[in-house]
Amino acid sequence: MSRVFLTWAVTHSVKEVQTEDSVLLFVVAWTITEIIRYSFYTFSLLNHLPYLIKWARYTLFIVLYPMGVSGELLTIYAALPFVRQSGLYSISLPNKYNFSFDYYTFLILVMISYIPSKYEFVRFLIIKAVTGKANNCGINIHITSFAKFILKII
């Protein structure tokens, strides 16, 4: 849902943010993530999963996830002034339904909601990697040590 929202409701709808570096940041993170994910699924179905694909699947999220989240948040932040100025997707009172909606405020709430939800997801991924429950992938000891360090911080 996050990808549909960022692609359509923010990036497509607010033309001014389409040239922002933050868009490139989340698109690159998403792209690399999907290449790794679908390579992992394909090789798993073929019962021939190379160690490099397995390692990448359960290690590179440490870099790609924060990269994608940063790009998403920066893109929403860049869209805020344009949304406020244009009143994009906002409905104001009075109207026959006696309902109002402020898209600008909604975007701010979406940004705030990233804090608890993304924190818990990253924590889950790190715990999965550290405990070896990542499909017995034999994660490199240095990456596991790094993940344990990150887990202590968060």
Side-chain angles (χ1 to χ4, degrees):
M1 189 62 183
S2 171
R3 292 182 182 190
V4 172
F5 175 74
L6 254 295
T7 303
W8 179 79
V10 179
T11 309
H12 174 75
S13 299
V14 183
K15 305 283 186 222
E16 294 85 357
V17 300
Q18 293 176 4
T19 57
E20 293 286 328
D21 292 338
S22 58
V23 174
L24 181 63
L25 191 64
F26 76 74
V27 168
V28 167
W30 290 356
T31 302
I32 294 170
T33 299
E34 295 308 320
I35 290 169
I36 293 167
R37 177 180 294 140
Y38 288 108
S39 296
F40 178 86
Y41 292 154
T42 302
F43 284 113
S44 292
L45 286 171
L46 297 172
N47 291 322
H48 180 67
L49 185 59
Y51 176 78
L52 182 62
I53 300 292
K54 199 185 295 187
W55 176 86
R57 171 86 166 122
Y58 294 106
T59 305
L60 292 182
F61 75 88
I62 294 170
V63 175
L64 294 173
Y65 197 77
M67 186 173 139
V69 168
S70 298
E72 292 172 21
L73 287 171
L74 289 169
T75 301
I76 295 170
Y77 182 76
L80 287 175
F82 302 106
V83 169
R84 176 175 253 174
Q85 179 185 5
S86 68
L88 181 70
Y89 301 133
S90 295
I91 302 168
S92 58
L93 289 170
N95 59 52
K96 70 180 186 177
Y97 301 110
N98 200 24
F99 171 80
S100 69
F101 175 75
D102 184 25
Y103 189 56
Y104 176 84
T105 304
F106 175 76
L107 287 178
I108 292 172
L109 292 173
V110 166
M111 290 176 69
I112 292 169
S113 77
Y114 266 62
I115 298 166
S117 65
K118 302 305 179 188
Y119 166 81
E120 282 304 316
F121 186 69
V122 169
R123 186 171 161 74
F124 164 77
L125 290 174
I126 291 172
I127 288 170
K128 191 172 180 180
V130 169
T131 60
K133 305 242 182 205
N135 293 341
N136 300 317
C137 67
I139 295 171
N140 183 309
I141 188 67
H142 300 292
I143 297 302
T144 304
S145 298
F146 178 71
K148 285 180 183 177
F149 171 73
I150 296 293
L151 193 58
K152 284 180 185 178
I153 293 172
I154 61 170

